[in-house]
Amino acid sequence: MAEKVLRGRRHALKWSLGASLVLAAFGAQAQAQANGMQLASCDGPFQQMLQASQTFDARAVWLDRHLIKWPGADGKAQFKLYHSAQGLLNAKPGAKVGGADGALTLKVHDAALSAELQQRFKYLGHAPTLGLQAADAAKLPELLKQQVLIVQENADGTVRDVTGLQTAGVLDDLYAAAEQAQDLGATVRKTSTSFRLWAPSARQIAVCSYDTGYGKAARIEPMRFDAKTGIWSMGKRGRHAGKYYSYLVDVHAPSAGLVRNLVTDPYSVSLTTDSKRSYIADLDDPKLKPRGWDQHRSPARVQAQPDMSIYELHVRDFSINDASVSAPNRGKYAAFKESGSNGMRHLAALSKAGMTDVHLLPVYDIGSVPEKGCAVPAPQGAPDSDAQQAAVMAAHKTDCYNWGYDPYHYSAPEGSYSSDPADGARRISEFRDMVMALHKTGLRVGMDVVYNHTYIAGQDEKSVLDRIVPGYYHRLNPKGEIERSTCCYNTATENRMMGKLMVDSAELWTRHYRIDSFRFDLMGHQPRAAMETLQARVNKAAGRHINLIGEGWNFGEVENGARFVQASQLSLNGSGIGTFSDRARDAVRGGGAGDSGERVFSQQGYINGLVYDANAMARPRPLADLLKASDLVKVGLAGSIRSYPLQTHTGEVRELQAIDYAGQPAGYAAQPGEVVNYVENHDNQTLYDANAMKLPLNTSSADRARVQILGAAINAFSQGVAYYHAGFDVLRSKSLDRNSFESGDWFNRLDWTYRDNYFGTGLPPAADNGKDYALLRPLLANAALKPSPEDIAFTRDAFRDLLKIRASSTLFRLRTAEDIKQRLHFLNTGPSQAPTVIAAHIDGSGYAGAGFKSVTYLINVGKSEQSIAGQAGKAFRLHPVHSSASAADKRAAQARYDAASGRFTIPARTALVFVE
């Protein structure tokens, strides 16, 4: 044994001396080759298998450097941690472990866990806790680079049970210092360029350098490992901006074995075509900035979060169908620079009317759209044909379209929107051009970000994070498989370095692209603490408040705080971060987001006929259902404030948090800025399409336009953030598509000439809609359901009038819950109310920006004129927008107020405002 060890040491010394001589003679590139990494590997396949391994599930969870939990294990058994540097472990029940380089004995740990560990790993429940011996702790950094298994052994040393381990907890403990690193990725300085990559479980890493985004590799250089942070680094002389790079990473992937991965940088700021190589850039380089970039400022239109009126827009949707945009720029960032285009004139008009923000659907690098040579189908067919969807779906994997909820690189602009995706610089400068163009139009710019999942995981070519630190960045289930409750591969932002990646990314967009706000997809899957850290960082980067809103839905493996305090509707109150409210949305539209079949038709809402105008499929409903819906609409109008007192339809006064919404409190926010009000966004059917199914078939086209404006008015008058889907104001239809995320340009078109809304352009894609074709086909074939250009123009102009009214007074944008409780008073409440009318008075006395002594808004969703009691002896007059000669809705001028009786009379299907 001693002689064998001595021979091994002599061999190691001889190799080390030889490597040193080679390094001295040929430099770092030769060292990388001496370590087994060849320059040719930089141009090779995305993965080389160095040693296949037997795979295991991962039911044990490594809590920190001392402790492991194994749910379901027998706490009275004996346990060992086996390891193999080459991944040769072989463990089968009833046999002894083979292929091990060694084993550590684990002891059952009976002491209580620290409060921190108890909180982080509470989802594991009661399970045996195993402890490493103190002397073995120093071995962990090396063991974590190997294949490791926990074996529960029988008395004779044979395997009773075996499992792999989930390692996020121990990596977070050992390498906590990495969280403070400021320069991960490629950093260009005055005279040098550095590369830093967090990969504590990697065996070795080298940087591959390329002079272009498509030529062969020029150099391969090894990186050095820092045992304190787990960060690999390499520095070189000179500014290498404009070049490209990738990493070669040798790492043991539990799902495969010891692999050599050719992979891009998680901290990439740009890439070449289809994200094959990362781009080296100094984002402060003047060459990457449009003229005037440093001097221009974001519009100062939002003093408090409720000031936000948001238009949700997809970059490709915006211009791909706009013939007034030059052909090369259609569907691209560059389209926003064409200020004379129909689309930009539309946005400018919205801005002038009072829209404050454009929120862009994902514009970071996405994995689902080919950046070069993507297909553009040209469907044809009758209004109710399935030929159009067949053509679209035949090309959906190779076409130019996707919403973009498929994150590939979080901090790099998407290349398919660039005029030249092969040029890493072009997408940076053109993205900035887009932002500056929108700012010049008076619109702030928000980003839809998707830090809750990745497009791909594991050892797939388009997996980045998992191919660098396998098993770390994603949230794992009890078997060690990646949770997929968000539809894709859920990330674990509760882990230090995934949380850091999210925060660092948001800070980069804020600092280098002047992003004014963020909309977080499925934000409830992230910890509130991580979101609050992010808020502080982006505020500091911008030198002002950056607005954060997101989807606060509560579901999946994190539901009800199973793993941490979530950034969800019920858990964010007091944070100032806004969440989308489904309370008024469902009451206004009718039904819920998951409805299908006849239920989509029968579940009418407050604006489209519930009880008072039943359609052919609606079963008889009691008046109480309409009154309950009215209460929920009022919840939204009052900003969903928990403590706001409302007289309900029963006559009792209840705080909004005591009103039921599907088993949850209807009122959930502490302040109005914590609520985002909407009746339509990119998800589900557009409101026009929902109304096509819910309104009685004999509803006139003009009345369908009026119903659309009723939905817009409820949103405009609601306290909190107002959120609108692009095209809502021009009766946008997706031909009844309930999920157009990959339905191509055809089903996602916008018409800025205001001639067509694209209803009746074919049956929507079968995957999400096919089961309802028998119900949808007659609607699409019905020409009476397609609006006229006059109806579209009315909706467009009436919508802008509502924006003007909201912008005219802070009374529609009250700053605090106390302001709402003191100043907002609903009229026409209780058991004797006129059920199709919602009315409220807002006191403006002494309130900054009120503009009026008071405002009273009235919304009559019914088909006939209604009269309700108000305040007598007042000097109410129609809002100046309504009384203007250019007012879009002439019917509003028929409204009356009688000072002697105090009664208001409101025309059918009309929303309006009186002021004094």
Side-chain angles (χ1 to χ4, degrees):
M1 177 70 76
E3 185 178 354
K4 184 177 180 181
V5 170
L6 182 58
R7 285 201 306 269
R9 287 177 179 171
R10 286 173 179 164
H11 175 77
L13 180 62
K14 181 178 179 181
W15 186 93
S16 178
L17 178 60
S20 298
L21 292 172
V22 170
L23 178 61
F26 299 104
Q29 182 161 315
Q31 181 177 333
Q33 294 176 355
N35 288 346
M37 289 184 168
Q38 302 292 325
L39 184 62
S41 296
C42 295
D43 298 309
F46 71 90
Q47 184 178 90
Q48 300 174 58
M49 178 61 69
L50 303 180
Q51 175 62 60
S53 297
Q54 183 181 355
T55 60
F56 301 85
D57 59 19
R59 287 168 286 137
V61 179
W62 220 321
L63 310 184
D64 63 10
R65 70 187 70 194
H66 304 294
L67 301 173
I68 296 168
K69 270 202 173 200
W70 186 352
D74 181 358
K76 297 180 180 178
Q78 58 186 30
F79 300 88
K80 285 185 179 177
L81 183 75
Y82 285 90
H83 57 93
S84 168
Q86 294 302 311
L88 300 175
L89 289 176
N90 186 338
K92 296 180 180 179
K96 291 189 177 182
V97 175
D101 292 338
L104 307 181
T105 300
L106 304 176
K107 299 294 185 182
V108 174
H109 179 83
D110 294 322
L113 299 181
S114 68
E116 181 181 355
L117 290 180
Q118 286 185 47
Q119 174 60 33
R120 179 172 179 178
F121 296 103
K122 63 181 180 179
Y123 66 93
L124 295 175
H126 180 72
T129 302
L130 310 175
L132 280 77
Q133 298 183 44
D136 290 332
K139 302 174 184 177
L140 288 187
E142 180 57 32
L143 294 185
L144 287 164
K145 297 176 183 292
Q146 304 182 25
Q147 182 189 25
V148 290
L149 297 172
I150 292 187
V151 176
Q152 189 178 126
E153 293 186 340
N154 296 310
D156 61 356
T158 57
V159 175
R160 180 175 170 184
D161 197 2
V162 58
T163 184
L165 296 98
Q166 301 179 27
T167 59
V170 66
L171 292 176
D172 278 351
D173 184 24
L174 286 173
Y175 303 107
E179 199 172 11
Q180 305 306 315
Q182 300 297 309
D183 56 354
L184 292 175
T187 303
V188 180
R189 299 183 176 86
K190 288 184 179 180
T191 59
S192 65
T193 303
S194 69
F195 302 85
R196 285 163 62 80
L197 177 69
W198 187 74
S201 57
R203 303 284 294 276
Q204 62 176 345
I205 302 181
V207 180
C208 296
S209 299
Y210 311 84
D211 292 331
T212 66
Y214 46 84
K216 287 188 175 295
R219 289 163 300 281
I220 181 172
E221 296 159 290
M223 303 182 80
R224 291 192 299 271
F225 182 68
D226 176 46
K228 181 179 180 182
T229 61
I231 293 172
W232 295 76
S233 62
M234 190 273 288
K236 54 201 301 186
R237 292 179 181 176
R239 290 173 58 85
H240 292 266
K243 307 293 186 181
Y244 295 82
Y245 70 105
S246 58
Y247 294 118
L248 278 175
V249 180
D250 285 4
V251 67
H252 184 271
S255 63
L258 184 60
V259 294
R260 175 164 294 159
N261 284 326
L262 181 64
V263 62
T264 46
D265 193 336
Y267 275 74
S268 296
V269 297
S270 191
L271 302 112
T272 190
T273 307
D274 291 330
S275 309
K276 296 293 187 180
R277 296 171 183 174
S278 299
Y279 179 71
I280 303 171
D282 174 4
L283 293 178
D284 288 321
D285 190 331
K287 295 178 183 178
L288 299 177
K289 299 177 180 179
R291 181 177 298 178
W293 174 259
D294 286 334
Q295 292 73 40
H296 104 277
R297 295 291 178 265
S298 299
R301 305 184 64 175
V302 173
Q303 305 306 311
Q305 194 137 303
D307 287 340
M308 296 178 77
S309 289
I310 300 171
Y311 204 57
E312 181 195 45
L313 183 63
H314 185 276
V315 167
R316 187 172 174 86
D317 289 354
F318 172 64
S319 62
I320 194 63
N321 192 44
D322 188 350
S324 70
V325 174
S326 58
N329 289 345
R330 291 176 200 162
K332 307 293 185 180
Y333 300 127
F336 291 88
K337 288 184 65 179
E338 299 195 23
S339 59
S341 71
N342 292 335
M344 283 305 291
R345 289 193 296 171
H346 184 85
L347 293 184
L350 290 174
S351 174
K352 184 178 179 181
M355 194 73 74
T356 64
D357 290 66
V358 161
H359 267 206
L360 301 170
L361 267 71
V363 283
Y364 52 70
D365 182 51
I366 63 177
S368 51
V369 174
E371 293 183 350
K372 183 179 180 180
C374 57
V376 183
Q380 291 182 335
D384 61 342
S385 170
D386 66 355
Q388 297 95 322
Q389 69 86 30
V392 168
M393 297 317 292
H396 80 279
K397 291 187 181 298
T398 59
D399 75 353
C400 305
Y401 194 89
N402 199 284
W403 277 347
Y405 293 87
D406 299 324
Y408 197 173
H409 297 87
Y410 288 114
S411 302
E414 163 59 13
S416 67
Y417 301 143
S418 169
S419 63
D420 183 5
D423 181 352
R426 191 74 61 87
R427 65 181 74 183
I428 295 171
S429 59
E430 289 181 345
F431 191 109
R432 286 168 162 169
D433 271 327
M434 173 183 66
V435 171
M436 192 158 67
L438 287 167
H439 282 169
K440 286 180 178 178
T441 309
L443 292 164
R444 298 166 6 117
V445 181
M447 276 183 69
D448 194 331
V449 287
V450 189
Y451 296 114
N452 64 85
H453 65 243
T454 57
Y455 174 51
I456 293 294
Q459 296 304 299
D460 187 276
E461 182 176 4
K462 289 190 175 182
S463 172
V464 177
L465 302 175
D466 235 5
R467 294 176 61 223
I468 294 172
V469 192
Y472 176 82
Y473 284 99
H474 294 88
R475 189 173 299 124
L476 306 180
N477 70 13
K479 292 184 177 181
E481 302 161 338
I482 298 173
E483 295 278 8
R484 299 193 62 183
S485 58
T486 66
C487 85
C488 305
Y489 297 88
N490 297 4
T491 56
T493 42
E494 65 270 28
N495 296 345
R496 286 184 191 275
M497 297 304 285
M498 183 60 222
K500 175 179 172 57
L501 177 58
M502 176 178 75
V503 173
D504 288 350
S505 173
E507 181 181 9
L508 181 144
W509 290 112
T510 304
R511 184 184 304 280
H512 293 291
Y513 292 94
R514 307 280 178 82
I515 296 301
D516 302 293
S517 60
F518 292 93
R519 180 259 190 208
F520 289 80
D521 182 64
L522 299 181
M523 184 173 62
H525 268 59
Q526 293 160 192
R528 170 174 169 154
M531 289 300 301
E532 290 179 321
T533 297
L534 185 149
Q535 179 77 81
R537 285 273 296 278
V538 295
N539 287 358
K540 183 177 180 181
R544 57 188 170 87
H545 183 72
I546 296 297
N547 302 99
L548 306 184
I549 62 173
E551 292 181 307
W553 315 132
N554 174 33
F555 69 98
E557 73 280 0
V558 298
E559 186 174 3
N560 298 326
R563 298 204 180 203
F564 43 75
V565 177
Q566 299 160 259
S568 62
Q569 285 177 331
L570 301 184
S571 302
L572 273 174
N573 62 95
S575 68
I577 298 171
T579 59
F580 288 83
S581 176
D582 43 357
R583 277 68 167 159
R585 179 203 69 188
D586 289 353
V588 169
R589 290 170 62 105
D595 291 347
S596 62
E598 291 191 1
R599 186 174 175 83
V600 180
F601 292 72
S602 65
Q603 297 301 302
Q604 292 174 282
Y606 190 70
I607 64 171
N608 52 36
L610 174 62
V611 178
Y612 62 88
D613 194 20
N615 65 43
M617 292 190 190
R619 60 180 174 79
R621 301 277 291 272
L623 178 62
D625 285 359
L626 177 60
L627 295 173
K628 289 175 184 176
S630 176
D631 283 347
L632 284 175
V633 173
K634 294 183 182 79
V635 168
L637 287 161
S640 301
I641 298 302
R642 287 173 175 258
S643 56
Y644 182 85
L646 174 70
Q647 184 185 37
T648 68
H649 69 282
T650 65
E652 62 181 325
V653 176
R654 305 175 72 180
E655 291 187 343
L656 301 188
Q657 63 187 336
I659 296 175
D660 179 70
Y661 168 76
Q664 301 177 64
Y668 66 84
Q671 298 296 339
E674 295 172 1
V675 168
V676 180
N677 301 298
Y678 72 116
V679 293
E680 173 186 316
N681 71 352
H682 64 274
D683 284 321
N684 309 119
Q685 296 94 345
T686 67
L687 183 63
Y688 187 87
D689 286 347
N691 286 338
M693 293 183 275
K694 296 176 188 294
L695 283 166
L697 278 178
N698 62 2
T699 305
S700 70
S701 181
D703 267 0
R704 290 177 185 276
R706 298 195 70 84
V707 170
Q708 188 93 353
I709 289 301
L710 292 174
I714 290 171
N715 225 33
F717 299 160
S718 292
Q719 301 296 331
V721 175
Y723 199 91
Y724 306 97
H725 183 212
F728 176 94
D729 51 326
V730 290
L731 299 177
R732 183 179 191 173
S733 169
K734 297 182 180 180
S735 208
L736 303 181
D737 195 350
R738 65 183 299 121
N739 187 17
S740 69
F741 79 103
E742 57 179 3
S743 299
D745 298 325
W746 183 259
F747 290 99
N748 287 285
R749 283 176 292 173
L750 287 164
D751 179 12
W752 301 130
T753 70
Y754 315 123
R755 306 299 297 173
D756 199 344
N757 79 331
Y758 300 112
F759 183 87
T761 52
L763 284 162
D768 286 303
N769 304 278
K771 62 183 179 299
D772 294 333
Y773 273 1
L775 296 168
L776 305 184
R777 187 172 270 116
L779 296 180
L780 296 173
N782 187 344
L785 296 183
K786 195 172 182 72
S788 68
E790 291 75 21
D791 298 325
I792 294 171
F794 163 79
T795 310
R796 174 198 67 203
D797 296 341
F799 179 84
R800 292 175 188 175
D801 282 353
L802 289 170
L803 289 180
K804 293 174 186 176
I805 290 170
R806 181 176 172 88
S808 72
S809 175
T810 52
L811 299 183
F812 297 105
R813 300 171 277 120
L814 295 169
R815 274 37 184 153
T816 69
E818 198 58 34
D819 291 340
I820 296 173
K821 289 162 66 176
Q822 289 182 2
R823 295 177 180 274
L824 173 66
H825 304 283
F826 286 100
L827 312 175
N828 187 46
T829 60
S832 60
Q833 65 183 274
T836 58
V837 175
I838 288 178
H841 177 82
I842 311 177
D843 177 18
S845 56
Y847 199 72
F852 307 102
K853 184 178 178 181
S854 74
V855 300
T856 299
Y857 60 76
L858 303 111
I859 305 166
N860 177 12
V861 301
K863 297 170 65 177
S864 61
E865 180 180 275
Q866 295 289 321
S867 179
I868 66 161
Q871 295 174 291
K874 297 291 184 179
F876 289 123
R877 69 186 191 281
L878 277 174
H879 192 286
V881 169
H882 292 311
S883 56
S884 167
S886 62
D889 188 356
K890 305 302 182 185
R891 188 183 292 183
Q894 301 171 18
R896 303 182 297 281
Y897 166 70
D898 181 66
S901 65
R903 296 193 71 80
F904 292 96
T905 302
I906 316 102
R909 283 180 167 151
T910 301
L912 53 91
V913 176
F914 281 94
V915 299
E916 65 167 341

